[in-house]
Amino acid sequence: MPLALVALAVTAFGIGTTEFAAMGLLPQIAGDLGVSIPRAGWLISAYAIGVVIGAPLLTGVAARLPRKAVLVGLAGLFTLGNLLCAIAPNFWFLAAARLVTGLPHGAFFGAGAVAAAELAPAHLRARAVSVMFAGLTVSNIVGVPAATLLGQHLGWRATMVVVVAIGALGTAAIARLVPALPSHAQAGLRHELSAFRSGQLWLALATVVFGCGGFFACYSYIAPLMTEVAGFAPGSMTLVLALFGVGMTIGNAVGGWAADRALRPSVCAAFVLLAAALAVFAVTAHTKWSAALTLMLIGLFGFAIVPTVQTLVMEKARHAPTLASATVQGAFNLANAQGAWLGGAVLSAGLGWTSPTLAGAGLAAVGALLAVVSWAIDRTPRPHPIPATAAPHPLDTPATSGTSDH
């Protein structure tokens, strides 16, 4: 494995830690800054807004710059954002700092996914992407539980300081280990936007928004479900969430392996299996061991989607992949918002703690249907016009059967 991929994974670990640890530290943040817990929840929304804004904005601004320089700059901005969070004197300063911290998220994963694919042979691209995203999944096994524990004992600012150190390490590692990756000869915002003329790209993004919304409908309310229904003690949630992270990490690795062998079937299978696991969870959640096992499977199938969809989008936008790849992260955050809203809506309707899993199963099923429709369109024979002569792109090298859509 190239050390450059490890450098990208270190920064991904820091990003995952700062994104998800805030959810477990809301009581400490609210108490320290003198706001209610619901008001403190706006900090999570501020980060998500930063992701949605920053993905197209920063990717467009940096389109003509060498990709290594872009990655170093984005990692540095992420580190700076966390430093501002650590020294925030009041709630509104912290909310603004969280938005700044979210800005480089989508752009980093977009540029990082393209860089990872360029660093790997054609038949191992999806696995290279999954190595980078492994930092995000491992953060849910180690980073988030440790950050939550640290924040509970030493204060939430201590967690932010640790994330600053991780971000600085990742930035230095990228600067030292990632080789020069020059921008595409045709790079520019207009060129990157050309990828969005593809109906298949929009279908892929819609698949993420709906299908992954099912994952977040369940994940957003996992703590009360596991304590109120499965019977776990509140103090056991750190272990439960770590188990969830194990499933996510395995799924990320399996998804990368499967996508290199058969991309389209892997995308469809991941969404179908996620929908099935969410539906079954409404039954298995009533017993500790079955709830824990099913939760691990939801994490596995949910994150098997990540490298498969990321690779699919880069395939469909291979002449201008960076902005499209970054937009996937915005789609994941829209899925997060949609899933959390729908899960809260069915809970508010009095349908019980397991209702978000059933709502999530419905969303995942919609994602599976969109994935199948998109695959069917790809398999439909159609004439291929001869394209205009263009400069070759690093991702435009002939792929092996590993990236076949059939």
Side-chain angles (χ1 to χ4, degrees), residues 84-170:
L84 293 175
C85 289
I87 64 174
N90 56 54
F91 173 77
W92 293 111
F93 189 100
L94 179 58
R98 285 284 292 176
L99 188 145
V100 170
T101 307
L103 287 175
H105 178 125
F108 178 83
F109 280 114
V114 175
E118 290 179 7
L119 291 168
H123 65 291
L124 296 176
R125 287 173 182 161
R127 266 174 278 191
V129 172
S130 74
V131 170
M132 182 191 69
F133 278 99
L136 185 64
T137 59
V138 170
S139 73
N140 283 274
I141 301 175
V142 180
V144 174
T148 302
L149 190 63
L150 178 66
Q152 290 171 346
H153 287 82
L154 299 180
W156 62 272
R157 295 179 192 274
T159 295
M160 296 300 174
V161 170
V162 170
V163 174
V164 168
I166 296 172
L169 176 63

Side-chain angles (χ1 to χ4, degrees), residues 64-318:
R64 292 186 180 276
L65 299 176
R67 192 163 290 116
K68 176 177 178 176
V70 171
L71 289 168
V72 171
L74 292 172
L77 179 58
F78 162 77
T79 304
L80 174 62
N82 279 286
L83 179 60
L84 293 175
C85 289
I87 64 174
N90 56 54
F91 173 77
W92 293 111
F93 189 100
L94 179 58
R98 285 284 292 176
L99 188 145
V100 170
T101 307
L103 287 175
H105 178 125
F108 178 83
F109 280 114
V114 175
E118 290 179 7
L119 291 168
H123 65 291
L124 296 176
R125 287 173 182 161
R127 266 174 278 191
V129 172
S130 74
V131 170
M132 182 191 69
F133 278 99
L136 185 64
T137 59
V138 170
S139 73
N140 283 274
I141 301 175
V142 180
V144 174
T148 302
L149 190 63
L150 178 66
Q152 290 171 346
H153 287 82
L154 299 180
W156 62 272
R157 295 179 192 274
T159 295
M160 296 300 174
V161 170
V162 170
V163 174
V164 168
I166 296 172
L169 176 63
T171 304
I174 292 171
R176 177 69 179 84
L177 299 175
V178 174
L181 296 168
S183 60
H184 182 215
Q186 293 183 340
L189 181 57
R190 179 178 297 181
H191 177 69
E192 290 291 336
L193 287 172
S194 67
F196 291 86
R197 297 172 185 166
S198 167
Q200 282 284 23
L201 177 59
W202 285 106
L203 263 177
L205 294 174
T207 301
V208 171
V209 172
F210 285 98
C212 294
F215 175 87
F216 288 110
C218 173
Y219 182 80
S220 299
Y221 303 96
I222 197 62
L225 190 152
M226 296 300 280
T227 55
E228 300 294 333
V229 179
F232 283 95
S236 302
M237 282 308 299
T238 299
L239 180 59
V240 170
L241 292 177
L243 182 64
F244 190 46
V246 170
M248 293 163 65
T249 302
I250 295 173
N252 179 64
V254 170
W257 173 84
D260 279 327
R261 291 177 172 269
L263 181 56
R264 280 293 193 179
S266 299
V267 173
C268 295
F271 279 109
V272 169
L273 291 170
L274 175 62
L278 287 167
V280 168
F281 197 26
V283 177
T284 60
H286 295 274
T287 305
K288 285 184 178 180
W289 71 268
S290 58
L293 177 61
T294 310
L295 181 62
M296 185 174 176
L297 290 176
I298 290 172
L300 192 157
F301 299 139
F303 261 72
I305 291 169
V306 175
T308 60
V309 170
Q310 198 83 39
T311 304
L312 175 62
V313 167
M314 289 191 296
E315 285 287 312
K316 294 305 172 188
R318 64 170 61 220

